């Protein structure tokens, strides 16, 4: 006999606990379970007045508390812990029940789990949830994959707890079958890596080249946040830069070790992009920048390498340079999103998911970490041209990046002259120039490959594959 809880959450660390509270606050009866029962009791004791919770100390009690079809959300660490929870609960479920993985799972794992559980008549939904612990409680951006049937059961609950865009639209959509939801969340995090790197480079340039203090950079970012760069990440960057360390009285950023860590989704984005043959150079540079920051011994051994002596700018020069940095940041940001959406489209085509990029942009407008004002324009661009091959093929974005390019180039050139590393800005500009180039040096690369490995090449003047017999008379033969 089924219970009366509409949804269940197992795994009550911060994200799981807040997600359970979000469901309860929105009028749903929520079964809660944790491997350590004390954590479950603490949730009910502390937040029981927020809504209807059904505590369950065992897996059997938890499943019995759920109404049919049962909807069971797993909020545990990715990898083996997730598989262990699935193995514990799946035998207790029945045909038509739904297991939801709300963690940052690798898309290959999600596709495997979906396939295995489908064979048992159980729906498996990989759900990307973005917004951190605050978003989980107050309204995240939600990216569910899985079958259409599972979304029919789960969707109304997710739409109730999701963040709401400025026009009131819930920031959740059925992304596509099997691993589509976790794939899109992975790319979201890859764009997040690139966005954070670009913002950090902009701050570094304003300090190292323009000579601004962290407090003045904070003011600059607040101004930028009132315009086209309006976003959550710009907003919090201003707060971080304005913060003073209470222990030392120094700017907070000066007492934080400059070694950035990562949990893996950015790295997965780059790895899978390589498998798909999609260039995400901006995201890759952001991942590598974090990696390089952590190699303390390598950096220490290289600290005495020669480089240029920075030339301080006067007040007027610094103000002009700050304006150029805003242009470079905006243009590079467009490139990052262009690369991310290209990867989503490529993944969707490879796996037959039918992901709607406009719908993805729509659900990223609120709740998630990369929420930004210009996502509404991205949504509109794909709504007007669903087949849009690239954001840079949109007339308005192309005009904006064209207008920014002179300042963008000057910022990258100034950074090189001053010895300030800008891998994100530089990679984004190189990508832009590669796209618009009439010819690339890839012709020479392919000729080299044919020379040493007989890898063949194609010609510009006729169809087919060819190989040159290098040496002797260097005659050409058809390789078809």
């Amino acid at each position: 006999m089924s219970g009366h809880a509409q949804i269940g959450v197992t795994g009550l660390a911060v994200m799981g606990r807040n997600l359970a509270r979000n469901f309860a606050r929105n009028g749903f009866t929520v079964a809660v379970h944790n491997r350590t029962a004390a954590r479950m009791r603490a949730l009910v004791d502390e937040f029981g007045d927020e809504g209807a919770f059904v505590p369950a100390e065992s897996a059997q009690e938890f499943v019995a508390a759920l109404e049919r079809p049962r909807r069971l959300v797993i909020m545990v660490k990715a990898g083996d812990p997730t598989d262990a929870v699935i193995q514990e609960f799946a035998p207790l479920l029945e045909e038509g029940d739904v297991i939801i993985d709300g963690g940052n799972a690798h898309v290959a794992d999600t596709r495997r789990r979906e396939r295995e559980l489908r064979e048992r008549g159980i729906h498996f939904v990989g759900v990307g949830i973005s917004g951190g612990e605050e978003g989980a409680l107050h309204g995240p951006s939600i990216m569910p994959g899985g079958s259409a049937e599972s979304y029919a059961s789960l969707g109304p609950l997710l739409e109730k707890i999701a963040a709401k865009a400025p026009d009131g639209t819930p920031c959740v959509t059925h992304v596509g079958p099997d691993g589509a939801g976790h794939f899109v969340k992975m790319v979201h995090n890859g764009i997040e890596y690139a966005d954070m790197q670009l913002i950090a480079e902009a701050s570094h340039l304003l300090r190292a080249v323009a000579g601004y203090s962290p407090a003045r950079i904070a003011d600059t970012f607040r101004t930028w946040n009132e315009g086209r760069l309006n976003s959550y990440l710009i907003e919090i960057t201003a707060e971080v830069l304005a913060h003073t360390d209470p222990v030392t009285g120094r700017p907070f950023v000066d007492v934080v070790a400059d070694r950035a860590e990562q949990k893996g989704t950015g790295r997965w984005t780059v790895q899978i992009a390589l498998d798909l043959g999609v260039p995400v150079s901006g995201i890759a540079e952001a991942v590598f920048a974090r990696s390089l920051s952590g190699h303390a011994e390598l950096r220490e051994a290289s600290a005495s390498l020669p480089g240029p002596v920075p030339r301080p700018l006067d007040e007027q020069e610094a103000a002009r340079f700050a304006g150029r940095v805003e242009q470079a940041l905006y243009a590079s940001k467009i490139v990052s999103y262009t690369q991310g959406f290209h990867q989503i489209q490529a993944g969707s085509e490879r796996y037959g998911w039918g992901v709607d990029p406009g719908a993805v942009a729509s659900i990223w407008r609120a709740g998630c970490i990369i929420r930004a004002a210009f996502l509404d324009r991205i949504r509109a661009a794909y709504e007007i041209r669903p087949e849009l091959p690239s954001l840079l093929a949109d007339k308005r974005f192309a005009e904006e990046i064209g207008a920014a390019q002179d300042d963008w180039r000057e910022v990258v050139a100034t950074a090189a002259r001053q010895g300030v590393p800008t891998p994100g800005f530089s990679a984004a500009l190189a990508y832009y120039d590669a796209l618009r180039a009439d010819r690339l040096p890839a012709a020479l690369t392919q000729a080299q490959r044919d020379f040493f490995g007989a890898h063949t090449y194609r010609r510009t003047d006729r169809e087919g594959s060819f190989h040159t017999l290098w040496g002797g008379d260097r005659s050409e033969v058809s390789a078809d």
Side-chain angles (χ1 to χ4, degrees):
M1 184 175 179
S2 63
H4 63 283
Q6 288 103 353
I7 191 84
V9 179
T10 180
L12 301 175
V14 175
M15 284 291 290
R17 179 188 66 192
N18 283 2
L19 196 66
R21 292 172 61 196
N22 192 350
F23 279 118
R25 286 174 163 194
N26 279 282
F28 299 110
T29 300
V30 187
V32 288
H33 170 269
N34 195 74
R35 183 174 58 85
T36 304
R39 180 172 284 177
M40 175 268 295
R41 296 190 203 101
L43 166 63
V44 177
D45 290 344
E46 189 173 356
F47 304 108
D49 61 346
E50 294 184 343
F53 295 100
V54 180
E57 297 205 3
S58 69
Q60 290 78 8
E61 290 177 8
F62 183 58
V63 170
L66 299 171
E67 68 178 22
R68 296 289 314 279
R70 300 180 182 93
R71 291 167 288 233
L72 185 161
V73 181
I74 298 172
M75 296 296 293
V76 300
K77 289 183 179 180
D80 292 340
T82 299
D83 282 324
V85 174
I86 292 172
Q87 291 165 11
E88 179 181 11
F89 283 98
L92 306 175
L93 301 179
E94 299 176 78
E95 186 173 343
D97 289 345
V98 186
I99 294 178
I100 304 107
D101 176 14
N104 279 329
H106 193 286
V107 64
D109 287 337
T110 301
R111 299 190 74 215
R112 169 181 57 80
R113 291 164 183 153
E114 193 277 338
R115 182 176 61 252
E116 292 171 350
L117 288 170
R118 185 180 353 119
E119 293 172 354
R120 301 169 66 168
I122 299 171
H123 297 284
F124 183 77
V125 179
V127 176
I129 300 174
S130 179
E133 58 186 85
E134 285 299 306
L137 180 61
H138 299 293
S141 173
I142 308 176
M143 296 150 261
S147 66
E149 184 181 353
S150 67
Y151 190 76
S153 168
L154 183 63
L157 284 77
L158 298 182
E159 290 165 12
K160 195 77 178 291
I161 70 162
K164 305 302 184 289
D167 61 4
T169 304
C171 289
V172 57
T173 189
H174 180 219
V175 176
D178 63 68
H182 275 153
F183 183 90
V184 166
K185 174 54 162 59
M186 175 199 71
V187 176
H188 165 283
N189 286 21
I191 295 172
E192 177 187 310
Y193 272 55
D195 217 345
M196 293 173 69
Q197 175 66 25
L198 293 169
I199 291 170
E201 289 180 16
S203 175
H204 193 188
L205 285 165
L206 291 178
R207 192 166 190 184
V209 178
Y212 286 4
S213 68
R216 185 168 181 183
I217 300 171
D219 289 338
T220 301
F221 273 79
R222 289 192 188 100
T223 300
W224 290 353
N225 199 48
E226 295 173 358
R228 61 184 181 177
L229 284 171
N230 176 264
S231 67
Y232 172 72
L233 285 172
I234 293 288
E235 177 187 345
I236 67 168
T237 299
E239 287 197 36
V240 170
L241 288 167
H243 182 53
T244 299
D245 176 52
V247 177
T248 64
R250 298 168 59 197
F252 177 70
V253 290
D254 288 350
V255 300
V256 177
D258 63 336
R259 294 191 293 274
E261 299 178 1
Q262 52 186 309
K263 289 188 175 180
T265 45
R267 184 168 61 249
W268 294 345
T269 305
V270 176
Q271 291 169 340
I272 292 177
L274 289 171
D275 293 337
L276 293 171
V278 175
V280 292
S281 51
I283 297 171
E285 286 295 346
V287 172
F288 288 133
R290 292 195 189 188
S291 298
L292 179 59
S293 74
H295 285 271
E297 292 183 1
L298 176 63
R299 293 173 61 193
E300 184 178 353
S302 307
S304 61
L305 289 173
V309 177
R311 181 184 67 83
L313 303 180
D314 63 33
E315 183 63 26
Q316 288 186 333
E317 289 176 323
R320 285 194 294 270
F321 182 72
R324 294 189 183 104
V325 171
E326 190 272 346
Q327 291 270 40
L329 177 56
Y330 184 70
S332 299
K333 185 183 180 79
I334 292 174
V335 168
S336 296
Y337 281 76
T338 297
Q339 293 180 353
F341 275 93
H342 182 196
Q343 183 168 0
I344 289 172
Q345 290 171 298
S348 178
E349 183 176 352
R350 169 73 65 86
Y351 299 113
W353 287 330
V355 177
D356 178 352
V360 171
S362 180
I363 66 172
W364 285 352
R365 291 180 296 163
C368 68
I369 303 302
I370 65 171
R371 59 186 183 267
F374 89 144
L375 274 159
D376 199 51
R377 290 176 45 213
I378 294 177
R379 176 201 58 77
Y382 282 111
E383 190 174 89
I384 294 168
R385 290 181 60 191
E387 78 291 350
L388 191 69
S390 163
L391 284 179
L392 298 182
D394 175 77
K395 181 180 179 181
R396 186 173 174 187
F397 282 123
E399 288 174 347
E400 287 184 325
I401 205 167
Q405 68 163 320
D406 288 345
D407 286 333
W408 190 11
R409 296 180 193 284
E410 183 58 34
V411 166
V412 172
T414 298
R417 286 194 297 267
Q418 299 273 32
V420 179
T422 55
F425 283 174
S426 301
L429 181 57
Y431 176 87
Y432 172 75
D433 282 338
L435 287 182
R436 64 177 199 84
D438 180 54
R439 277 182 68 80
L440 295 170
L444 179 57
T445 301
Q446 193 61 18
Q448 292 170 329
R449 294 182 73 240
D450 187 65
F451 190 106
F452 66 69
H455 291 292
T456 76
Y457 53 88
R458 295 187 179 276
R459 297 180 58 94
T460 60
D461 56 355
R462 58 183 185 270
E463 295 296 321
S465 295
F466 300 90
H467 167 56
T468 291
L469 302 175
W470 298 97
D473 62 1
R474 296 186 179 177
S475 58
E476 183 177 75
V477 296
S478 173
D480 286 336

